[in-house]
Structures are given as C-alpha cells and as structure tokens.
Amino acid sequence: MRRPLVTASVLLALASLAARPAEPPPLPERLADTGGGSQLITAEAAGTDSTTGTVTWWDRRRGTWVAAGSAPARFGANGLAEGTTRTQGTNTTPTGLFDLPYAFGTGTAPAGTRYPYRRAGDRSWWCQDNASPAYNRWVEPRPAHCRAGEAEHLVAYRAQYARALVIGFNYHRPVRGRGAGIFLHVDGRGATAGCVSVPATGMDRILAWADPARRPHIAIGTGSGPTAITRY
C-alpha cells in the first residue's frame, strides 16, 4: 500500500517544481554589453527619478557572472538621464556603459588596490570649464584657462573623494556641455551632483576587488524603460 503513496508524493513534488518560475539569469547576462572584461560593476536605480539604488560588483567565472559584493547606492539629486544626451549642470547621473580609467583619493589607497591610484592634494582640480582645453580632466595645478568657478577643487570634498574611481563618461572624446567629473565615490550627506556614491566600506571593497587587467566597466541604468540597464 505504501508504493502508490510514495509515487504520488514524488509526482506532487515534481509538479510543484515545474510550477515555479525559472530564476532569471544574473543581471550582467541580460545586458546588451559588459565591456568585454571579466569584471563588471552595475549601478541600478528603480527609475529616472530615483536618487537611490544598488551597486553590485561581479566576476565572470567559468563563463558565468557571479556577484562578488553589493552596496546601497546614491545617484544624482535630479535622478538619472540618458548619457548620450545628458546636459551638464543638471545634477543627473548619466546612464550607459563606461570604463574606469583610474582611481584617486584624498586619502591613501586601501590595502590591496591594484588600480593606478592618484593622490589628490591642495593643487588638484577637476576641470569642468567648457572653454578650457583641459575640459573633463584632472589638472594640477589649475591652469589659467580653467576658471576656478568652473572647476572642482578635489580636496574640498575630502570625505566624498577619500577614495574614488573615475567613470569614463564623456572622458575619451569629451563633448562640451555634456558633463564632466563623474565618479564612483564615497557617500556624502545625500544625493550626488551626478556621480554614483556608496558607503566608505563599499568603496574600499570595490577598490580591493577591481583588477585593471580584467578590464572592469560600470553599467548605470534603471530597472526598465528607455534607460534600462539591460540596454547598455
């Protein structure tokens, strides 16, 4: 009498498994592009009006993307905007897929940092002057053609820029008026002026994890819509 009962319970268990929706593939596998490397950072917000979300860093292992860590993220005070059409000074975080040229900070590099790391001092500025040939570049000292009112004195943001990664938005072939000085950096008191920020412990973990030899990129986007992270 037991065998039919066992068979029925097995069939019921199999039917229950079949009814469950399949787990979606890891987020990087749903992106249009990951940059071609074996490391990736995703920064995802719910929508373009969001100022918070999640940063996750991923490793590609044996053909599969595996999450290596995550942290709560903050975005621009006015949310997110399509990177290819963003306007400078709008306090929006640009969406898209970008490389990470180098790291910098007002403090020393965390233990284990492999990225080229530049220490910011009193003479270190980031030029955001559209009329300057140094637009969207670190300058040290600040040249006359980069007006102080159109540049960011990096040590003025000692806490936020204690450790940071340059995001390659509008960096390699800068378009004037598109935006400058977009970084992944340590949290301040609230939303950013267009960067992506994470808690200090998260930034330290990211810098200890990131390996430039593995060509990490960062994908920034929303959960759905025209700026969906999966488009990039």
Side-chain angles (χ1 to χ4, degrees), residues 145-156:
H145 56 68
C146 181
R147 294 167 291 171
E150 299 293 329
E152 194 168 66
H153 196 199
L154 297 178
V155 295

Side-chain angles (χ1 to χ4, degrees), residues 31-129:
L31 267 57
D33 189 7
T34 58
S38 59
Q39 286 188 329
L40 179 72
I41 300 171
T42 55
E44 186 176 13
T48 53
D49 59 348
S50 300
T51 59
T52 60
T54 304
V55 160
T56 307
W57 47 105
W58 306 79
D59 289 306
R60 188 163 178 81
R61 302 173 184 166
R62 294 183 288 276
T64 301
W65 287 100
V66 179
S70 66
R74 290 174 177 167
F75 299 99
N78 288 324
L80 295 85
E82 169 59 51
T84 58
T85 56
R86 177 184 182 268
T87 300
Q88 183 167 329
T90 55
N91 288 341
T92 54
T93 297
T95 61
L97 178 70
F98 312 107
D99 67 351
L100 299 159
Y102 61 91
F104 73 93
T106 60
T108 58
T113 299
R114 285 164 286 185
Y115 245 83
Y117 189 91
R118 191 168 185 178
R119 187 78 181 266
D122 288 339
R123 290 156 54 90
S124 307
W125 295 72
W126 196 274
C127 185
Q128 300 177 350
D129 190 335

Side-chain angles (χ1 to χ4, degrees), residues 164-181:
L165 273 165
V166 175
I167 294 176
F169 165 72
N170 202 34
Y171 184 78
H172 299 288
R173 295 180 180 177
V175 175
R176 310 289 164 152
R178 183 64 44 79

Side-chain angles (χ1 to χ4, degrees), residues 132-150:
S132 172
Y135 178 67
N136 203 17
R137 287 292 184 274
W138 179 302
V139 289
E140 189 173 331
R142 181 183 56 80
H145 56 68
C146 181
R147 294 167 291 171
E150 299 293 329

Side-chain angles (χ1 to χ4, degrees), residues 163-200:
R163 291 165 297 281
L165 273 165
V166 175
I167 294 176
F169 165 72
N170 202 34
Y171 184 78
H172 299 288
R173 295 180 180 177
V175 175
R176 310 289 164 152
R178 183 64 44 79
I182 301 298
F183 312 127
L184 173 61
H185 64 71
V186 176
D187 280 342
R189 294 184 178 180
T192 73
C195 296
V196 180
S197 73
V198 293

